């Protein structure tokens, strides 16, 4: 994972230098698991705190984001406590991927109290936890309860506790004697990069391989190919960069052409990287935030788009399965109702043979004179009913099946039309180019009451309805061509142009 504790240390130092003493101007929550803190500074005035499971990161940015018209509960709580609050410190907790931002926040009576934001960037365990001066949790993106088997409890009212460190050694506090002890306990031919990641806290794969490369010239070196002295010197050189705040962030591209064509970087680091020799193209960055933002910008947008796509696809898949099952059941019921004429004939024949039937008879043999040639039919009777009541029973069955047939044909027709609509939305999903197109599809599904669980994550209706914007291209002859990517945009193309 590129966002290791070393990169966290570089980011923490940058944030402490730029944000300490500033007041929070605004709090926004553009996504379910992202909080943005805005400040009144000329450059990179927004602190993005993203806690998605796949791409968690923090960075100062100027990236414009669209916010929901009605802020979520977490956002409103942070606005209540952090609006105009002053940042007093930014610290890394225990050389882990946890950053604590401390605030001086005024209450309703004007008294200042400390508040804390714990930003945990740990993959699936990523979380943003808001705590008061007594470290009592006020809110969090992801909470658990006493009924679940977690290593710690994250619930409102409980005391905040950092993630357990799994008995790994803090590299900042590690001395040579402890390092040698760890190294000498290694089995022969053990991978050194894996040794660093398993024995010491906060090592990402890239940083561990860099230390091994600087020690023995091979990033995949094993314990028998290097002396403990050389590995310790390489280890301490990297750790000293953190202690002395000697950071030189950089982006790593697969090639110069990849960088020029605008491809996403393959990795990033808090210091210069030598393990790749000349096989990659390395671009220095002015700050840790710049490296982090450029690395995660496209990835995060792609991840959001994938999540939106999967949500809509799951709703449509459930809808399609429901409709196919509904059509199958209704066609079976339609087939069962296809013998309605037989019930009418039985009723007519019972009325015809009324003079021969007595109450208590279980059947009657009647001649169907309307058939060519004449047919003798054995008609079942209910012995508890009179002949007239038996006839009425068959007439009622006939009427019920006749009405059911009409209604069933209407329902099957509607279900097939709805199925065609769902399949057309699937086609629009494949042609959606960005999150805005997907959001319009979500709004369309919500408008037609599809997928109730999806409605809760939709943006609330805005006071001023935004007009859909179809794609605009120019033909070789200079004519404007407008292309609708979904039904809302198709309606705009049909009526507005």
């Amino acid at each position: 994972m590129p966002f290791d504790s070393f990169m966290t240390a570089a980011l923490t130092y940058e944030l402490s230098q730029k944000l300490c003493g500033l007041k929070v101007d605004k709090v926004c929550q553009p996504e379910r698991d992202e909080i943005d803190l805005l400040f009144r500074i000329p450059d990179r005035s927004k602190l993005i705190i993203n806690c998605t499971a796949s791409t968690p990161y923090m960075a100062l940015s100027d990236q414009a984001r669209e916010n929901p018209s009605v802020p979520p509960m977490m956002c409103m709580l942070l606005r209540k406590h952090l609006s105009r609050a002053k940042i007093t410190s930014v610290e890394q907790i225990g050389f882990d991927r946890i950053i604590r931002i401390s605030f001086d926040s005024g209450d309703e009576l004007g008294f200042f109290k400390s508040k804390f934001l714990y930003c945990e960037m740990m993959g699936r365990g990523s979380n943003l936890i808001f705590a008061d001066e007594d470290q009592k949790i006020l809110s969090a993106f992801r909470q658990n309860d006493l009924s679940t088997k977690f290593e710690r409890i994250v619930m409102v009212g409980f005391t905040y506790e950092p993630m357990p460190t799994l008995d790994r050694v803090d590299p900042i506090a590690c001395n040579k004697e402890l390092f040698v002890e760890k190294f000498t306990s290694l089995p022969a031919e053990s991978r050194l990069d894996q040794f660093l990641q398993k024995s010491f806290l906060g090592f990402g794969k890239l940083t561990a391989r860099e230390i091994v490369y600087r020690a023995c010239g091979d990033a995949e070196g094993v314990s028998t190919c290097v002396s403990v002295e050389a590995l310790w010197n390489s280890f301490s050189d990297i750790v000293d960069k953190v202690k002395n705040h000697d950071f030189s962030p950089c982006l790593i591209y697969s090639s110069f052409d990849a960088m020029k064509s605008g491809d996403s970087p393959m990795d990033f680091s808090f210091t210069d990287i030598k393990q790749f020799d000349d096989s990659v193209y390395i671009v220095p960055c002015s700050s840790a935030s710049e490296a982090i933002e450029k690395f995660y910008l496209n990835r995060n947008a792609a991840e959001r788009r994938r999540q939106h796509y999967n949500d809509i696809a799951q709703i449509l898949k459930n809808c399609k399965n429901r409709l196919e099952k509904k059509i199958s059941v209704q066609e079976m019921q339609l087939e069962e109702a296809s013998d309605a004429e037989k019930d009418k004939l039985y009723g007519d024949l019972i009325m015809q043979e009324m003079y021969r039937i007595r109450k208590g008879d279980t059947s009657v043999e009647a001649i169907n004179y309307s058939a060519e040639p004449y047919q003798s039919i054995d008609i079942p009777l209910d012995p508890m009913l009179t002949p007239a009541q038996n006839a009425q029973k068959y007439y009622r069955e006939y009427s019920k099946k006749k009405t059911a047939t009409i209604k069933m044909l209407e329902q099957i027709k509607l279900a097939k039309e709805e199925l065609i609509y769902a399949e057309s939305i699937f086609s629009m999903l494949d042609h959606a180019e960005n999150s805005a197109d997907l959001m319009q599809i979500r709004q369309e599904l919500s408008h037609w009451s599809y997928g109730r669980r999806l409605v809760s994550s939709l943006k609330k209706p805005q006071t001023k309805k935004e007009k859909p914007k179809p794609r605009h291209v120019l033909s070789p002859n200079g004519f404007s061509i407008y292309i609708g990517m979904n039904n809302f945009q198709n309606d705009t193309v049909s009526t507005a142009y």
Side-chain angles (χ1 to χ4, degrees), residues 330-343 397-406 408:
Q330 289 177 339
E331 287 179 342
M332 290 176 58
Q333 293 175 346
L334 184 63
E335 185 177 354
E336 292 174 358
S338 62
D339 61 347
E341 292 297 330
K342 185 181 73 172
D343 291 326
E397 285 294 320
Y398 164 75
S399 178
K400 183 192 300 184
K401 291 180 179 179
K402 202 68 176 176
T403 304
T405 299
I406 297 172
M408 213 68 68

Side-chain angles (χ1 to χ4, degrees), residues 58 100 183 219 223 275 284 302 311 338-339 395 439 448 470 488 494:
M58 286 178 64
R100 180 176 66 191
F183 182 82
S223 55
Q275 61 184 278
D311 283 345
S338 62
D339 61 347
Y395 284 139
M439 185 57 67
W448 296 111
F488 281 171
S494 302

Side-chain angles (χ1 to χ4, degrees), residues 155-411:
M155 287 180 64
V156 174
F158 279 73
T159 302
Y160 171 78
E161 296 178 0
M163 278 281 197
T165 57
L166 302 177
D167 297 327
R168 294 178 182 174
V169 178
D170 185 347
I172 303 299
C174 181
N175 54 35
K176 187 174 181 179
E177 290 74 18
L178 181 57
F179 185 86
V180 172
E181 179 185 341
K182 289 282 186 181
F183 182 82
T184 52
S185 63
L186 271 178
E189 301 296 326
S190 296
R191 284 277 298 269
L192 292 175
D193 57 338
Q194 296 177 2
F195 155 69
L196 292 173
Q197 288 184 276
K198 293 178 181 178
S199 302
F200 297 94
L201 186 64
F203 271 91
K205 184 176 180 180
L206 181 67
T207 306
R209 288 169 61 89
E210 181 66 18
I211 290 177
V212 177
Y213 177 82
R214 295 189 182 191
C216 65
D218 182 6
E220 298 181 356
V222 296
S223 55
T224 55
C225 72
V226 65
S227 66
V228 63
E229 189 70 26
L231 188 62
W232 164 253
N233 290 335
S234 177
F235 176 88
S236 58
D237 286 345
I238 293 295
V239 172
D240 286 343
K241 289 181 179 292
V242 177
K243 293 180 179 179
N244 301 326
H245 306 302
D246 181 17
F247 302 114
S248 49
C250 62
L251 289 167
I252 304 170
Y253 290 87
S254 57
S255 64
F256 176 78
D257 293 336
M259 188 272 293
K260 280 294 186 182
S261 61
D263 292 349
S264 297
M266 56 181 286
D267 218 330
F268 66 93
S269 175
F270 73 102
T271 188
D272 54 312
I273 296 296
K274 301 177 181 179
Q275 61 184 278
F276 297 110
D277 295 329
D278 296 329
S279 60
V280 299
Y281 188 75
I282 297 178
V283 179
C285 296
S286 59
S287 65
S289 288
E290 180 185 351
I292 293 169
E293 183 184 21
K294 287 184 177 179
F295 180 83
Y296 282 108
L297 183 61
N298 292 336
R299 282 174 171 80
N300 193 49
E303 177 64 19
R304 296 291 186 192
R305 185 183 181 280
R306 185 189 66 80
Q307 291 177 355
H308 293 162
Y309 180 96
N310 289 342
D311 283 345
I312 300 172
Q314 185 62 43
I315 294 298
L316 292 176
K317 182 179 178 181
N318 294 342
C319 175
K320 186 176 179 181
N321 292 339
R322 174 180 60 82
L323 290 172
E324 289 176 346
K325 183 178 179 181
K326 178 181 177 181
I327 291 172
S328 176
V329 170
Q330 289 177 339
E331 287 179 342
M332 290 176 58
Q333 293 175 346
L334 184 63
E335 185 177 354
E336 292 174 358
S338 62
D339 61 347
E341 292 297 330
K342 185 181 73 172
D343 291 326
K344 182 176 182 296
L345 176 63
Y346 281 7
D348 291 342
L349 293 177
I350 291 174
M351 296 298 291
Q352 170 187 303
E353 305 292 335
M354 183 83 70
Y355 68 95
R356 294 196 304 112
I357 305 173
R358 298 290 181 269
K359 184 177 180 180
D361 291 348
T362 58
S363 66
V364 63
E365 186 175 352
I367 303 298
N368 182 12
Y369 295 104
S370 61
E372 291 290 343
Y374 300 155
Q375 294 179 350
S376 177
I377 301 176
D378 189 39
I379 303 173
L381 298 175
D382 187 343
M384 302 300 293
L385 302 179
T386 64
Q389 289 173 336
N390 273 292
Q392 289 300 319
K393 174 185 173 183
Y394 279 110
Y395 284 139
R396 281 196 299 270
E397 285 294 320
Y398 164 75
S399 178
K400 183 192 300 184
K401 291 180 179 179
K402 202 68 176 176
T403 304
T405 299
I406 297 172
K407 295 295 183 183
M408 213 68 68
L409 289 173
E410 294 177 357
Q411 291 297 317

